[in-house]
Every structure is written in structure tokens, then in C-alpha cells.
Amino acid sequence: MPIVINEHWCKKCLICIEMCPRNLIEADEQGLPYLKDPDECNECENCAWVCPDFAIDIPEKEEV
Ligand code: SF4
Ligand code: SF4
């Protein structure tokens, strides 16, 4: 999974949905964002940068 969303930190503001240039993030029935198509994510980090609560992590990038 290219991005990991910490549901305990997420306040469901949904800014990340607006800011993904590939429109890959959607909200589930609880209003929590999730990555709908992981294969299409290029780990651009936009969603992680715009999240006001630091709820989005990009683990594969951190290992580099
Ligand atoms: S920007 Fe952050 S806090 Fe807002 S919905 Fe997305 S993950 Fe949650
Ligand atoms: S890392 Fe970039 S492409 Fe992947 S979900 Fe976040 S904003 Fe979209």
C-alpha cells in the first residue's frame, strides 16, 4: 500500500480527496478516506503534505 491513513488521527476533513492529482482517494461510508486504486498512486506525497493532522504516511518512501 503506497499510502497509509491513520484513522485515529484523521478528522475527516477530506482535503486529501481534493488534492490528489489522480483522484485516487475516496471517502468510505464512515467518511474516512481510503486509497481506491493503489496501483495508480505514484507516491507524489501531495495528500501527505496537505493533511493538517499528519494522518497520511508513505511508508515505502521512508525506507529509501
Ligand atoms: S487530509 Fe488528513 S485529516 Fe483530512 S481527511 Fe485526509 S487524512 Fe483525514
Ligand atoms: S501520494 Fe499522490 S497519487 Fe498517491 S494518493 Fe496521495 S496524492 Fe494521490
Side-chain angles (χ1 to χ4, degrees):
M1 181 69 74
I3 70 167
V4 176
I5 299 172
N6 184 331
E7 61 185 54
H8 300 293
W9 290 6
C10 172
K11 63 183 174 192
K12 304 177 183 173
C13 70
L14 306 185
I15 291 173
C16 53
I17 291 179
E18 299 298 322
M19 297 306 288
C20 174
R22 297 185 167 200
N23 285 323
L24 299 178
I25 307 176
E26 282 187 353
D28 67 14
E29 60 278 358
Q30 323 266 322
L32 271 173
Y34 68 96
L35 186 58
K36 66 180 174 186
D37 194 347
D39 290 339
E40 289 298 314
C41 173
N42 66 353
E43 301 176 13
C44 71
E45 299 189 31
N46 263 35
C47 55
W49 278 106
V50 299
C51 176
D53 289 72
F54 307 103
I56 302 181
D57 202 15
I58 305 186
E60 288 174 22
K61 280 241 166 172
E62 283 180 5
E63 286 167 18
V64 176

